[in-house]
Amino acid sequence: LFDPATRALVDMPSDHTPPWYRQFLRQPAGPDSSPGSATLTYFQPGQIDLTVEALRPAILILSENPDLGWQATIDCQPTAWYRVNFNRRGLVVPAGQHQVRFLHRPLSIKRGAVISSITALILTLMICLNGRMTLRPRSLDQLTAGGA
């Protein structure tokens, strides 16, 4: 039987070669084989911080949806995270005490910021050019005398 407290089903991209999983293959699973503990230190929409004390290499699983906009770090170093147990996020934590952070930085926000900035620049240029053209009105005599 599948017990999510002692087993993890990790979904990996097909082009990913995962040598990290070998360290978990021969470890005993049982009630007295705790891999360590995790303490939630900060939780807000878009950021989750944890202090992890791993007695051995372990997979930390958060009961959060695996949206692609999440980025993970362990001790301020970027690390990969995986979809675990179908609809959760998880990452491999080495033995020892570590600070784990998940930040939500979806690509759609970055794209939206770039598009909005470009649009604002174009609108500003259009307003400036339009203002420059209307600041120099010509009289009817100037138009007929100059042939324009």
Side-chain angles (χ1 to χ4, degrees):
L1 297 173
F2 174 71
D3 178 11
T6 59
R7 302 271 190 256
L9 301 174
V10 181
D11 183 27
M12 296 173 292
S14 59
D15 61 342
H16 185 64
T17 307
W20 58 264
Y21 72 88
R22 288 189 179 90
Q23 61 190 329
F24 299 103
L25 291 179
R26 292 193 177 87
Q27 291 189 8
D32 59 342
S33 64
S34 171
S37 64
T39 304
L40 184 66
T41 56
Y42 184 81
F43 181 83
Q44 288 293 323
Q47 182 174 339
I48 300 171
D49 293 348
L50 301 112
T51 298
V52 177
E53 181 69 41
L55 303 176
R56 61 177 185 269
I59 298 177
L60 172 68
I61 301 173
L62 275 70
S63 119
E64 297 278 328
N65 289 330
D67 178 59
L68 293 179
W70 285 98
Q71 299 169 355
T73 61
I74 297 177
D75 299 328
C76 298
Q77 298 299 315
T79 189
W81 62 267
Y82 304 96
R83 189 170 71 128
V84 179
N85 296 344
F86 300 106
N87 62 350
R88 300 290 178 243
R89 263 182 309 196
L91 54 83
V92 177
V93 180
Q97 184 172 358
H98 303 284
Q99 299 300 315
V100 175
R101 174 171 283 173
F102 279 93
L103 288 173
H104 194 247
R105 301 290 184 257
L107 188 58
S108 59
I109 289 179
K110 292 176 187 175
R111 286 181 181 163
V114 169
I115 290 170
S116 296
S117 299
I118 291 170
T119 303
L121 179 64
I122 290 171
L123 288 173
T124 303
L125 288 173
M126 289 175 64
I127 290 170
C128 289
L129 291 176
N130 188 29
R132 186 190 277 169
M133 291 178 2
T134 58
L135 289 176
R136 294 182 284 177
R138 294 184 180 185
S139 69
L140 186 57
D141 294 336
Q142 289 174 330
L143 289 174
T144 57

